[in-house]
Amino acid sequence: MIDLHCHILFGVDDGPQRLEDSLALARALVADRVTRVVATPHILEPPLSVAAIAEGITRLEEEFAARNIALRLIPGGENHYTIPVEEMRTHSINGGRYLLLEFPHSNFPTSARDIVFQLRTAGLIPIIAHPERNADLLRDPDLLQPLIEQGALGQLTAASLAGDFGSPARQCARYMLKKGLAHFVATDAHGADWRPPRMQPGLKEAAKLLGKEAARKLMIENPELVIENRDWPYV
Ligand SMILES: [Fe+2]
């Protein structure tokens, strides 16, 4: 499986702080049957540089090779919605047109539609990170609909489907899946112990709701299309 959202690099954000922590997370991801991970550290102001992310990836991949950890890393970032569009472009997934976009957890900003419009006009495709954990969207998940109609995509957290973020987030995630408001399920993992990867329980939950084939799409085919920068099959 491909994890499109993961804080695996150490010492760059609120994810792992030491190499050992990143290695523990990497092993947890492998145990969770993940083979490729997009490294998506938080991109805030002032933004972490693309070079720093590339260095972090090279360093970790060397450590993986030395320890036979079968995990490939792909560059990306979790772009805070206040970051300028051109800065977001440099922090897209694998240098392509898709990027991870983060709104605040507390509220859904009134500028959300404008930001999606700006990104789409710039030829970029925002993937909205964990909408099921946003307070306003928990109350009214349909607020996401207009953004999806503008061409944005949605990424749920596997742990939300597993119930780790509580019943409301789980119900919201299930609703978004059923309504076609979510296109990916990823870990948003921050460590092997705190906020660990939960792809397998997430996959099981998604399969119960949508069937096995559709569930696999959320974790395999759709993320693959993104990291290969292929056209999104809008219907
Ligand atoms: Fe994240």
Side-chain angles (χ1 to χ4, degrees):
M1 288 190 289
I2 301 170
D3 186 7
L4 215 54
H5 181 168
C6 188
H7 300 262
I8 191 162
L9 302 182
F10 63 94
V12 293
D13 63 4
D14 59 341
Q17 294 309 304
R18 303 167 307 157
L19 168 64
E20 292 70 21
D21 305 326
S22 283
L23 293 174
L25 174 52
R27 290 190 175 102
L29 285 157
V30 171
D32 206 17
R33 298 194 204 152
V34 173
T35 53
R36 282 179 279 178
V37 177
V38 184
T40 54
H42 287 288
I43 308 299
L44 304 163
E45 204 66 67
L48 185 66
S49 74
V50 172
I53 295 169
E55 269 169 42
I57 287 177
T58 304
R59 169 81 201 279
L60 266 192
E61 283 188 330
E62 285 168 7
E63 301 286 349
F64 292 173
R67 291 168 172 81
N68 288 322
I69 297 174
L71 197 61
R72 279 176 47 205
L73 297 176
I74 293 148
E78 181 173 11
N79 293 278
H80 195 255
Y81 77 110
T82 53
I83 297 289
V85 165
E86 288 314 310
E87 187 68 50
M88 288 194 200
R89 187 194 295 280
T90 67
H91 290 95
S92 70
I93 295 170
N94 212 12
R97 77 193 86 166
Y98 297 87
L99 61 89
L100 206 57
L101 176 65
E102 181 184 37
F103 289 120
H105 285 279
S106 55
N107 69 304
F108 200 59
T110 49
S111 57
R113 289 182 72 167
D114 186 46
I115 292 162
V116 170
F117 177 79
Q118 286 179 43
L119 288 165
R120 297 293 289 125
T121 306
L124 298 165
I125 302 178
I127 298 173
I128 297 166
H130 41 68
E132 84 285 2
R133 284 158 45 206
N134 175 280
D136 286 343
L137 291 178
L138 273 168
R139 278 188 292 272
D140 184 4
D142 288 324
L143 284 174
L144 188 59
Q145 181 79 47
L147 275 60
I148 303 303
E149 284 167 11
Q150 284 178 279
L153 303 170
Q155 172 256 307
L156 300 175
T157 317
S160 295
L161 284 168
D164 294 8
F165 289 97
S167 181
R170 185 186 204 177
Q171 293 311 319
C172 186
R174 290 164 60 96
Y175 179 86
M176 286 172 173
L177 272 186
K178 281 193 267 186
K179 287 268 287 191
L181 299 173
H183 311 82
F184 312 94
V185 174
T187 69
D188 193 10
H190 283 63
D193 300 316
W194 182 64
R195 296 181 57 184
R198 299 271 278 147
M199 288 294 251
Q200 290 304 318
L203 179 67
K204 225 183 236 178
E205 280 298 309
K208 266 193 240 166
L209 281 174
L210 307 174
K212 261 189 191 166
E213 273 311 299
R216 282 172 52 86
K217 260 195 165 188
L218 300 164
M219 299 185 177
I220 302 172
E221 281 93 343
N222 289 353
E224 186 157 61
L225 191 151
V226 165
I227 60 178
E228 290 176 358
N229 195 30
R230 302 204 310 262
D231 289 339
W232 186 260
Y234 289 111
V235 284

